[in-house]
Amino acid sequence: MTLAVPPLNDGCPSGLAPPSPSESGDISAFVRQSGKLSRIDLAVRGAKCGGCLSKIETAVQALPGIETARLNLSNGRMAVSWTGALGANRIAETIRALGYGVAAYDTTTESSTAQKEERNLLIAMGVAGFAAANIMLLSVSVWGGVGEMGETTRTTMHAISGAIALPAVIFSGRHFFQSAWNALRNGHVNMDVPISLAVLLAFATSVYETLIGGQHAYFDACVMLLFFLLIGRFLDARLRRQAYGAAHELAALQARSATRIEASGEAKAVRAEDIVAGDRILLASGERAVVDMVVTEGTSEIDESLVSGESLPSLAAPGRKLFAGSVNLGQPLQGEAIAGASDSLLSDIAKMLEAGEQRKSAYRKIADRAVSLYVPFVHTTAALAFLSWWWLSGDVRTAVMIAVSTLIITCPCALALAAPVVQVVASGRLFKAGVYLKSGDALERLAGIDHIVFDKTGTLTLGNPTLVDTGLPAPLLDKAARLARASRHPLSRALVSAAGPGGIAANVTEHPGLGLEAEIDGTPCRLGSAEWVSIDQPPASNGPSIWFAEGDQTPVQLKFIDQPREDAADTLAALTARGLTMEILSGDKMQAVSTLARTLDVADWTGEATPQDKVNRLEALRDEGRKVLMIGDGLNDAGALSLAHASLAPGGAMDVSQAAADAVFSGGLGAIPEILNASQAARRAMLQNFGLAAAYNFIAVPIAVTGHVTPLIAAIAMSASSLVVTLNALRIAKPGKRSS
Amino acid sequence: MNVLIYLIPVAIGLGALGLMAFLWSVNSGQFDDPEGAASRILMDDDDRPAPKRLSD
């Protein structure tokens, strides 16, 4: 087997994402057959650049019988089809060996509504753009020909414009009309009501003006309005779909399978959701439990770090309860499911997430607040303009024209672009810094935080133990590593990575909870706990340790620590300098947490916190009125992440936590100050944009209500305000010199 | 001014051609994976390296 894979080749070759932890699981239950062709959809984690794309596709295409293998880099889905006897697990194994996480993606759980909506908006935008450009072509000649163009020619131009505008307004405008109609029917008013009103009134008066041979038609304005608004809508839908896709990683995670032992004694791969309480489950080495279960046969060590935050594995013997999310590190275990997939711990956490999401949506976006001020203002102004002109001039036609031009010129193009453009630019800037932002309004929330809660294992620390260099001779380390290579225990892994590549001892036997044993060059060697090498009273140690004994020689102690990340101290100091307060909230042992808190100089810490404790702590902070940023990676943090005012998860985090967090960052804790910088710059730019839009209206409204707006002025004003807002948003594309 | 009778339909026709090309590209999924498409153009398909370390 290929155990000596150089770690440098793992994962993204550009280093945009860390290698994802490999876990095996039988995914053959998700293969769809059509004739000779087999198909499967996979969710690939950690693929970020063109190098990943070619690495993965080339490797998969080299497998026998592969027809197509195409990875979508934007959403991480990979569609594979093949003929012949190739197993789906072989494909997954190939991708996993390259250092990427892979899971079966159940296409039935995906709702494609969001994607359809995005595509419809894009098409609507294209149609509106086409119509706007062509009508503008005709309008420019009308504006240019004032005084020279005959009335017949002008009316013809208007008529052609109208003929182009009619289908465009119906097709592209229906998104706004529908939404406005729904809002009105329910007795509300939203942004789409003034938009629809402006577009429809402008269109209707233009048709009337064309029929009577009038001078001004607003066909260009009403289509251009739709075009600008649809750009904003499209960008917004795209950001929202990305967030939605990330949330659905959770569904992909649950689309796992398990090995069930049938009554006949035959082992069969089944989908997780088909398991009911009482089923007998086989948990192979390296596999993650998908349902809560009780061990009935076998002894092994299990890694519960993602469930509880506890960094060291514990022993699982018959009678022990395993929670969904635990990983079996040793021998295969048999167990009895005590709950179906929907009642397991993982689903409880999913429910916690939902509850958190609902609270989060109670946050009112800056854009929404702006709109609620704006809508009544515009309607009142337009109505007043109409009434006063009617009363003053007694001419309904003039009054209607002025009311319509007021509606058009105040129509919230700039307002509709103000937030989405800033969000797109800011998320692009963060993406370059290795941060994957999941929702646009997360930027606003991140900008407002005043307190940070850190998880310990995997967030502030590396999450896996490293060997402490105590001057051990290299040959001894090498021998110990030859034993350790046979085991999945985290301490064995740490030993192997310290020793570097090498061979593996023959006939290694693993004794769960004790250690490993094998003969090396004729000498029996043991690697494991103090008890395993017959040491009754091990010396006190402030971290985990294992012992190595060669023959009758005195056993040697190998010490490990879970080191804090290199940039942890600097980052925390930088965050303190910003005036933020912090605390550590961990599920790990008190001893481990207090050591780290001392090292990093954090006064406020809590250890041995259950997921519920974490949620309670976050709720307490919320009640105090603090705006909390939660940073965590484990399954046990997911609830807290979704409850916090804003949340971040490191790239190596558990899928669920990545789904729960507002943003996922790679490249170390150093990214956090940059995330805060970018989000504060974004909030500033957004407020400036709303300020600009307001200033624009302040100037435009008097011109409109006094009746000085011609279609030419309306077109220039609308484009100019949209352009100004967009340019202002582009200013934050690069990190600025100001670091407030 | 009679030339307008030809020129306006020609202009609109050209625009419509562009629109049709756009609709075709959206419907054929060319906007589904913008990041992947940006990277794919840099991939050398003709000298595909043999997959290392995998087929043993």
Side-chain angles (χ1 to χ4, degrees):
Chain A
M1 286 298 286
T2 53
L3 277 163
V5 178
L8 270 179
N9 284 353
D10 267 9
C12 179
S14 311
L16 291 173
S20 301
S22 17
E23 276 157 39
S24 45
D26 194 344
I27 56 165
S28 51
F30 296 97
V31 177
R32 302 185 304 279
Q33 290 284 350
S34 55
K36 276 185 179 174
L37 212 60
S38 314
R39 290 172 193 280
I40 192 163
D41 286 292
L42 300 170
V44 178
R45 297 199 65 83
K48 294 273 182 238
C49 68
C52 301
L53 188 81
S54 71
K55 200 163 122 179
I56 295 172
E57 287 190 354
T58 317
V60 173
Q61 272 156 2
L63 293 171
I66 294 283
E67 292 276 322
T68 57
R70 200 169 168 89
L71 175 67
N72 183 329
L73 205 54
S74 308
N75 59 16
R77 309 264 178 274
M78 181 164 190
V80 187
S81 68
W82 70 95
T83 54
L86 184 72
N89 290 323
R90 175 88 190 279
I91 300 169
E93 200 52 56
T94 306
I95 301 171
R96 207 170 282 131
L98 293 171
Y100 298 93
V102 60
Y105 185 78
D106 194 349
T107 40
T108 54
T109 60
E110 185 190 37
S111 142
S112 55
T113 354
Q115 185 167 6
K116 254 192 209 130
E117 191 207 332
E118 188 189 319
R119 194 177 270 203
N120 284 341
L121 281 172
L122 187 61
I123 292 175
M125 189 180 100
V127 170
F130 155 80
N134 279 285
I135 296 172
M136 195 52 74
L137 197 76
L138 302 170
S139 297
V140 167
S141 58
V142 173
W143 300 333
V146 176
E148 293 167 41
M149 190 181 274
E151 194 190 314
T152 328
T153 319
R154 191 177 66 214
T155 309
T156 315
M157 293 290 198
H158 283 166
I160 299 172
S161 300
I164 303 171
L166 178 66
V169 167
I170 293 172
F171 183 77
S172 300
R174 67 186 198 281
H175 296 273
F176 302 100
F177 304 153
Q178 266 165 11
S179 153
W181 177 242
N182 285 340
L184 285 177
R185 222 176 27 189
N186 296 325
H188 304 297
V189 175
N190 62 6
M191 181 109 128
D192 292 330
V193 175
I195 292 171
S196 306
L197 209 60
V199 170
L200 290 176
L201 276 178
F203 188 80
T205 38
S206 302
V207 169
Y208 176 74
E209 288 292 310
T210 309
L211 290 178
I212 63 163
Q215 203 180 355
H216 295 316
Y218 283 99
F219 291 118
D220 51 70
C222 72
V223 180
M224 197 163 64
L225 200 64
L226 286 176
F227 180 50
F228 283 142
L229 291 168
L230 282 166
I231 296 176
R233 280 296 148 91
F234 170 68
L235 292 178
D236 195 46
R238 209 161 119 150
L239 270 183
R240 258 189 302 121
R241 189 166 71 89
Q242 280 174 359
Y244 175 90
H248 271 243
E249 299 279 301
L250 183 60
L253 179 77
Q254 284 192 322
R256 283 180 182 275
S257 61
T259 314
R260 182 165 68 193
I261 301 170
E262 306 288 327
S264 59
E266 180 195 7
K268 193 181 164 206
V270 291
R271 290 167 176 234
E273 59 259 37
D274 295 338
I275 293 172
V276 292
D279 278 353
R280 280 168 68 210
I281 314 273
L282 181 72
L283 195 64
S285 177
E287 195 176 5
R288 183 191 287 174
V290 291
V291 293
D292 298 347
M293 57 193 263
V294 169
V295 178
T296 52
E297 257 178 67
T299 326
S300 175
E301 277 179 288
I302 51 158
D303 174 3
E304 286 179 311
S305 62
L306 293 170
V307 182
S308 63
E310 162 75 59
S311 50
L312 284 182
S314 58
L315 187 71
R320 169 83 146 76
K321 191 174 170 187
L322 292 187
F323 288 107
S326 319
V327 179
N328 181 6
L329 296 168
Q331 265 93 46
L333 288 173
Q334 266 191 41
E336 191 182 296
I338 48 177
S342 57
D343 301 320
S344 288
L345 180 70
L346 210 54
S347 302
D348 289 348
I349 287 172
K351 277 171 212 144
M352 265 191 239
L353 291 189
E354 265 167 40
E357 291 297 329
Q358 275 167 13
R359 293 206 192 180
K360 224 172 235 178
S361 63
Y363 173 81
R364 281 188 80 209
K365 290 189 273 184
I366 297 177
D368 294 345
R369 278 180 279 177
V371 167
S372 66
L373 291 174
Y374 172 85
V375 173
F377 166 75
V378 170
H379 281 179
T380 320
T381 317
L384 282 178
F386 173 73
L387 291 175
S388 357
W389 275 92
W390 193 16
W391 184 58
L392 286 173
S393 69
D395 181 8
V396 182
R397 190 183 145 204
T398 320
V400 168
M401 276 301 269
I402 283 165
V404 167
S405 65
T406 310
L407 272 181
I408 290 177
I409 207 155
T410 55
C411 206
C413 284
L415 212 57
L417 286 173
V421 179
V422 171
Q423 287 165 357
V424 166
V425 172
S427 63
R429 164 174 161 185
L430 285 173
F431 184 78
K432 277 187 204 136
V435 181
Y436 180 54
L437 195 69
K438 299 229 308 285
S439 69
D441 61 315
L443 283 168
E444 294 172 29
R445 285 186 274 112
L446 279 165
I449 58 126
D450 57 15
H451 182 73
I452 307 184
V453 177
F454 284 99
D455 171 47
K456 184 186 84 73
T457 319
T459 307
L460 286 174
T461 68
L462 293 168
N464 36 14
T466 46
L467 183 66
V468 179
D469 188 4
T470 46
L472 295 170
L476 183 133
L477 208 58
D478 184 52
K479 277 182 190 158
R482 280 164 75 182
L483 280 176
R485 283 192 188 93
S487 161
R488 282 172 180 273
H489 195 286
L491 295 182
S492 303
R493 290 264 168 107
L495 177 57
V496 173
S497 70
I504 178 170
N507 307 321
V508 181
T509 49
E510 185 164 10
H511 301 262
L514 292 171
L516 305 151
E517 186 176 31
E519 280 196 359
I520 298 177
D521 307 329
T523 327
C525 294
R526 282 183 165 197
L527 181 71
S529 63
E531 192 189 341
W532 182 235
V533 294
S534 322
I535 288 186
D536 299 330
Q537 298 207 314
S541 156
N542 59 357
S545 65
I546 52 172
W547 296 77
F548 178 66
E550 190 180 357
D552 299 332
Q553 293 175 27
T554 322
V556 184
Q557 191 181 19
L558 301 163
K559 291 182 181 174
F560 298 87
I561 60 164
D562 187 7
Q563 276 183 319
R565 288 179 191 265
E566 270 178 22
D567 48 1
D570 289 348
T571 306
L572 262 56
L575 292 172
T576 314
R578 283 171 160 260
L580 298 167
T581 50
M582 323 166 206
E583 69 177 271
I584 299 176
L585 187 59
S586 171
D588 206 353
K589 299 251 162 54
M590 289 290 184
Q591 171 75 29
V593 183
S594 73
T595 313
L596 182 85
R598 257 199 313 278
T599 320
L600 295 176
D601 200 18
V602 177
D604 203 357
W605 58 268
T606 317
E608 289 172 25
T610 62
Q612 194 55 49
D613 289 342
K614 292 195 176 196
V615 166
N616 293 344
R617 175 74 187 135
L618 264 287
E619 281 189 338
L621 283 167
R622 177 191 287 260
D623 293 342
E624 280 173 32
R626 308 300 295 271
K627 298 235 163 35
V628 180
L629 169 64
M630 169 85 200
I631 307 178
D633 72 324
L635 196 54
N636 56 338
D637 299 314
L641 284 169
S642 70
L643 206 59
H645 186 67
S647 51
L648 299 172
M654 176 85 187
D655 324 28
V656 188
S657 305
Q658 293 197 6
D662 290 319
V664 178
F665 64 94
S666 55
L669 294 166
I672 297 169
E674 164 59 10
I675 296 174
L676 296 181
N677 281 341
S679 57
Q680 277 161 5
R683 187 175 62 172
R684 224 170 18 235
M686 237 181 267
L687 290 173
Q688 284 164 356
N689 275 353
F690 287 119
L692 285 170
Y696 157 79
N697 273 342
F698 193 71
I699 300 167
V701 168
I703 301 176
V705 293
T706 50
H708 289 93
V709 169
T710 60
L712 175 61
I713 292 177
I716 292 172
M718 266 182 350
S719 328
S721 67
S722 301
L723 208 63
V724 166
V725 165
T726 310
L727 289 177
N728 185 46
L730 287 175
R731 284 192 317 122
I732 64 161
K734 290 211 174 70
K737 283 171 200 134
R738 271 183 301 168
S739 57
S740 60
Chain B
M1 292 304 264
N2 287 339
V3 73
L4 284 181
I5 294 169
Y6 311 106
L7 283 185
I8 290 174
V10 166
I12 293 173
L14 284 174
L17 211 66
L19 180 68
M20 261 145 59
F22 175 72
L23 293 182
W24 167 77
S25 66
V26 172
N27 285 325
S28 64
Q30 295 188 37
F31 288 85
D32 288 353
D33 182 15
E35 286 160 38
S39 300
R40 260 173 225 283
I41 197 161
L42 300 172
M43 285 163 60
D44 286 333
D45 286 339
D46 41 18
D47 59 352
R48 182 169 294 163
K52 291 168 226 156
R53 306 179 283 106
L54 292 166
S55 47
D56 54 11

